Amino acid sequence: MTLNRTRRALGAAAAASGLALALAGCSLEGVDTGSEASADELSTVEGEISFATLELSSNPDLAKYIEDTIAAFEDEYPGTEVEWIDVPFAGAQEKFAADAAAGNLPDVVNMNPNFAQPLEREGVFMDIDQADPELASEYVEGAWKGFQVPGTEGTFGVPWYLTSEVTMYNADLYEKAGLDPDDAPETFEELYEDAAAISKAGAGAYYGLHPALENRFLTDLAKIGVPLIDEDLVWTFNTPEAVEHVEMLAEMYQSGVFPADSVTQTLNDAKEGYQAGTVAVFPSGPNFLNGIEQNAPQVFENTRVAPQIAAEGEPINMSVMGLLIPKTSENKGTALAFTKFITNAENQLAFSKVAPVLPSVTEALEDPFFQDDSDGTELSKAIKLSANGLERAENLTPVQYDDQVKNAVLAKIQLALTGELSATDALDQAVEAANEITGGGE
Amino acid sequence: MRPRRILTPWVLMAPALAVALIFHVVPFFRTVQLSFTDFRLASGGQYVGLENFGALATSDVFWLSAGNTLLYVVVVVPLLVVLPLLLAMLVQPKIPGMSFFRASFYTPVIASMVVVGLIWVFLLKERGPVNWLFQTLSIVQEPLPFLTDGTLLLFSCMLVTVWKGLGFYMVIYLTALANVPGELHEAAQVDGAGGIRRFWSVTVPSVRPTMLLVGVLSAIAAMKVYAEIFVIAGPTAGPGGTVRSLVFTIREVGSGFDGQVGYAAAMSLVLFVFTIGLTVALQKLSRENVEA
């Protein structure tokens, strides 16, 4: 009897402790948003801060650059200390989400606008416009706007490094198709004509273009002037121009201009296709040239670059990486000083010399480094083209276009490409699905 | 019995209990709790009663996911119960070189699902080896769209699940077959039973409990299918998102800063109930078979 009672008591204790533990972790609160910085806090530059980047340490030159820049900051501001944390890209969102929920985000965080937007909507990050009203004028306008949410005030991050794609194409495949490799496509019409000619010549062995819907569908719509989302955050890209565009994509897919399996493939497949020499044109940032050189030297030899394609008068696309300061930071002054330091003209220029990215400060862009393509390499030509395009470049992907919205939209567009839905229906359903997810129009 | 002797087993079990509590019991309770909220990672949440379950009941995406998951179980489980048994019988004889085949069949089990998926994507491309073979043998005139047609995509995913699972269940069957007394086969042979007759009258009854175990394990695995679909059908789950499973949808709606965690938790709970129901049904079937 005693033994049974003891067993029951222990069992009950175990169950109770389990339940207690379960309930202890059962908060239904969202992220810890902290508070805006006071003028005193912002003027105090001392103490320790943590600085999180996204997968930069794998490149030894970049790692050294970051370490040297941190050391230079600590020298310039005695009494400060910066702890560098490099987070792998895969799983970074989950890590930052957990940190944000615990009010434990690093003092300076490297994110792109889409990554940061859901947290910003909750007011997690410091308003940079408020903290330093003069700062905006030093940065590329389109990049600065990348950290603004339509319909709300303020800017929640400082742009750091930028990439703006150029049109990369395989001159060998152009020649094989009887096209002039020195006559790069300048408009979407020319691009699609070239693609059709190359795919026809390739007869299944190689193709002119991969649709890479995941990466290009929405930004291509913006580049032909289709409005994607309005001020009330209602998705609006089911316009007649978009219908025409989707009809053309469907026609190209069904007539074999794109690889047969490309409709369900990702950007990686498009990259691999270009590197394997089975896809002739691949729009990408200059940094991709290093990857081609390493993985496919033969294709690299044949690669030529040309300006990014967009319709006349429409913006071109750029990707923005920024630095954000959570309001939970205990050293907001140091965090802001460090953000300004690492994004200043001198440090960004040094960064661009280590990695083929563009600086977000206009002063750095004026450096001859971005205009000097006298070495005749495609990399320097790509950097020049990319830098010169920044004036009309914007982050064309709306911050609300997260993975869930993207998959819902692309699932419908895929049906249009395979001919199971008309372009009009596909776009209408895509817009409806996107609005349903983001609550557009509610 | 002295208290120390009563406590000893608990002390020894404490680490395992702690792990179970932290990684299984607490997350389970948390999932149950979240399923009654509109929790999102960034904004938090509030209790909404049965709202999530009501939304599930009227969601086309949920029913599509549930239907695909059920179809997956219905197709994959019988194949994974029967094929590994046949394979085990094939590699059971102790003849030189057989261990090579056993190891070969087991290799997909230890390979990463992503790697296996990518291999099959290559094999099933419109201009891939499988279509080349079919066309060369004049089985089809035009290449089959294994990776772009909604229906074929689902069966392509099932093919990968079956191929990857064969080796694992084969090993389970090998153990069971080793325990079938040789005398039973000899006696049946003396009575004039051929190979097929001995398979039905001796082998199958002897390994029936193992077949039920394989049925339960493969059913649970099929209910949780995700990686095959993501790798083969892509992040949209095929054109129109028609190839999605329940776990695929749970991950899609629940992940990211802005994920609808409460809604995803409700879906997880429904999946849990489905899985428990299936397991109980199979166990009941097992008991009835034993009693019979």
Side-chain angles (χ1 to χ4, degrees):
Chain A
M1 277 303 264
T2 314
L3 184 62
N4 280 342
R5 266 207 302 274
T6 312
R7 276 183 184 158
R8 273 202 298 273
L10 282 169
S17 57
L19 208 59
L21 262 173
L23 293 173
C26 283
S27 158
L28 290 179
E29 282 175 20
V31 294
D32 184 349
T33 53
S35 55
E36 285 291 353
S38 65
D40 270 358
E41 275 182 285
L42 288 174
S43 59
T44 309
V45 183
E46 62 181 18
E48 197 178 317
I49 58 165
S50 50
F51 167 47
T53 56
L54 287 174
E55 213 165 287
L56 293 184
S57 63
S58 51
N59 177 334
D61 293 336
L62 265 182
K64 185 175 181 313
Y65 162 78
I66 299 284
E67 281 160 5
D68 290 349
T69 311
I70 288 173
F73 174 77
E74 289 169 346
D75 281 348
E76 192 164 325
Y77 295 93
T80 60
E81 201 176 320
V82 180
E83 184 201 0
W84 178 33
I85 311 157
D86 194 48
V87 181
F89 205 92
Q93 203 169 10
E94 284 74 14
K95 182 199 159 14
F96 289 142
D99 287 351
N104 212 12
L105 274 169
D107 300 277
V108 179
V109 197
N110 171 202
M111 289 187 193
N112 64 30
N114 297 66
F115 217 66
Q117 185 264 343
L119 287 180
E120 171 45 27
R121 218 176 42 213
E122 301 305 318
V124 167
F125 301 111
M126 212 164 88
D127 179 357
I128 306 293
D129 282 336
Q130 206 177 0
D132 190 341
E134 306 298 316
L135 209 54
S137 60
E138 295 173 23
Y139 292 79
V140 173
E141 194 185 348
W144 191 264
K145 280 183 182 167
F147 288 99
Q148 293 171 345
V149 179
T152 61
E153 294 278 309
T155 302
F156 58 92
V158 175
W160 185 15
Y161 59 93
L162 318 172
T163 50
S164 183
E165 69 206 43
V166 293
T167 305
M168 293 181 193
Y169 62 101
N170 186 324
D172 181 42
L173 296 184
Y174 260 68
E175 275 173 5
K176 278 182 180 167
L179 299 171
D180 179 4
D182 293 325
D183 185 17
E186 290 174 4
T187 62
F188 279 114
E189 290 73 20
E190 287 176 11
L191 172 68
Y192 296 147
E193 274 171 28
D194 287 1
I198 295 166
S199 297
K200 193 177 171 193
Y206 55 85
Y207 294 86
L209 192 64
H210 189 293
L213 294 173
E214 178 189 39
N215 193 43
R216 289 207 300 274
F217 174 69
L218 207 72
T219 51
D220 277 1
L221 286 185
K223 287 181 202 175
I224 59 170
V226 173
L228 304 180
I229 192 165
D230 68 14
E231 283 288 307
D232 298 323
L233 305 184
V234 179
W235 294 95
T236 55
F237 56 85
N238 51 343
T239 65
E241 294 78 19
V243 170
E244 206 177 306
H245 179 73
V246 173
E247 277 171 350
M248 193 174 49
L249 291 180
E251 194 188 317
M252 287 201 289
Y253 176 71
Q254 286 163 28
S255 60
V257 176
F258 300 146
D261 303 304
S262 60
V263 71
T264 50
Q265 288 180 337
T266 61
L267 175 65
N268 267 343
D269 296 287
K271 271 184 191 175
E272 282 166 18
Y274 185 80
Q275 293 187 115
T278 56
V279 171
V281 183
F282 183 69
S284 185
N287 45 334
F288 182 54
L289 282 168
N290 287 343
I292 308 173
E293 187 176 18
Q294 209 169 16
N295 301 329
Q298 187 71 41
V299 174
F300 179 75
E301 287 287 306
N302 292 317
T303 294
R304 304 278 180 277
V305 296
Q308 187 182 150
I309 296 171
E312 180 107 31
E314 299 301 337
I316 62 170
N317 188 39
M318 74 170 145
S319 303
V320 183
M321 269 293 184
L323 297 175
L324 301 97
I325 303 168
K327 286 191 285 194
T328 48
S329 168
E330 286 178 7
N331 278 320
K332 296 186 184 79
T334 313
L336 182 62
F338 180 73
T339 300
K340 284 157 71 172
F341 184 81
I342 203 164
T343 61
N344 71 25
E346 186 190 343
N347 284 321
Q348 287 216 52
L349 182 60
F351 190 5
S352 297
K353 287 178 180 174
V354 180
V357 291
L358 297 173
S360 56
V361 278
T362 45
E363 189 190 336
L365 275 168
E366 286 157 13
D367 192 273
F369 173 75
F370 298 102
Q371 296 302 326
D372 182 12
D373 60 354
S374 58
D375 62 2
T377 64
E378 293 304 305
L379 180 60
S380 55
K381 196 175 162 192
I383 290 172
K384 183 179 174 180
L385 286 171
S386 195
N388 290 345
L390 280 188
E391 265 183 16
R392 58 184 282 223
E394 287 175 23
N395 177 27
L396 294 179
T397 310
V399 287
Q400 291 79 10
Y401 193 62
D402 61 13
D403 280 352
Q404 203 184 341
V405 178
K406 180 163 65 181
N407 290 337
V409 167
L410 296 186
K412 302 297 180 190
I413 304 307
Q414 287 170 335
L415 289 175
L417 260 64
T418 56
E420 291 165 75
L421 266 185
S422 70
T424 310
D425 288 347
L427 280 162
D428 287 347
Q429 289 180 21
V431 163
E432 192 186 334
N435 279 325
E436 201 175 306
I437 295 167
T438 58
E442 280 178 7
Chain B
M1 200 178 278
R2 280 182 294 179
R4 194 188 296 170
R5 294 186 65 183
I6 298 165
L7 282 175
T8 305
W10 288 100
V11 170
L12 292 172
M13 283 195 302
L17 281 176
V19 168
L21 201 65
I22 294 166
F23 294 107
H24 297 279
V25 179
V26 172
F28 176 76
F29 278 119
R30 177 70 166 156
T31 306
V32 174
Q33 183 206 22
L34 287 173
S35 68
F36 297 102
T37 71
D38 59 359
F39 187 81
R40 288 177 190 242
L41 215 47
S43 54
Q46 290 184 330
Y47 285 100
V48 292
L50 293 171
E51 209 173 273
N52 288 329
F53 296 94
L56 281 182
T58 56
S59 161
D60 294 341
V61 171
F62 169 74
W63 287 113
L64 174 69
S65 313
N68 283 340
T69 306
L70 190 67
L71 184 63
Y72 221 91
V73 171
V74 168
V75 175
V76 163
V77 173
L79 290 173
L80 280 177
V81 169
V82 176
L83 293 180
L85 175 60
L86 301 178
L87 204 60
M89 288 169 64
L90 207 65
V91 299
Q92 192 195 15
K94 291 187 174 79
I95 52 174
M98 195 53 92
S99 55
F100 168 77
F101 290 100
R102 282 189 209 143
S104 303
F105 291 135
Y106 194 74
T107 308
V109 179
I110 51 172
S112 135
M113 179 47 89
V114 175
V115 174
V116 169
L118 290 174
I119 290 170
W120 277 94
V121 164
F122 167 74
L123 292 173
L124 296 172
K125 277 183 174 180
E126 285 218 18
R127 289 180 176 271
V130 172
N131 267 316
W132 173 82
L133 188 70
F134 282 6
Q135 283 180 297
T136 307
L137 298 175
S138 298
I139 296 170
V140 293
Q141 296 303 311
E142 292 292 315
L144 292 170
F146 288 112
L147 304 177
T148 52
D149 176 83
T151 312
L152 280 175
L153 254 174
L154 191 60
F155 285 99
S156 300
C157 297
M158 290 171 180
L159 177 70
V160 176
T161 304
V162 171
W163 185 75
K164 194 174 184 324
L166 280 179
F168 177 68
Y169 299 115
M170 177 194 78
V171 170
I172 297 179
Y173 277 127
L174 276 173
T175 319
L177 287 174
N179 291 326
V180 179
E183 300 84 41
L184 287 178
H185 280 287
E186 285 163 17
Q189 210 164 4
V190 169
D191 288 344
I196 295 174
R197 178 70 197 210
R198 275 189 284 128
F199 173 73
W200 285 113
S201 301
V202 178
T203 309
V204 170
S206 303
V207 300
R208 184 167 286 145
T210 309
M211 291 174 85
L212 285 159
L213 170 72
V214 169
V216 171
L217 292 177
S218 58
I220 292 172
M223 293 291 275
K224 295 193 297 184
V225 63
Y226 170 76
E228 292 91 320
I229 293 175
F230 188 84
V231 176
I232 293 170
T236 58
T242 52
V243 190
R244 58 185 56 247
S245 65
L246 270 175
V247 174
F248 189 99
T249 307
I250 289 168
R251 191 199 173 277
E252 187 179 77
V253 301
S255 61
F257 286 150
D258 213 19
Q260 299 157 268
V261 180
Y263 186 61
M267 224 184 297
S268 304
L269 212 60
V270 173
L271 175 64
F272 174 73
V273 171
F274 282 178
T275 311
I276 288 285
L278 193 70
T279 312
V280 169
L282 283 167
Q283 274 182 340
K284 204 175 168 199
L285 190 70
S286 158
R287 267 201 300 274
E288 280 170 7
N289 267 288
V290 170
E291 280 161 15

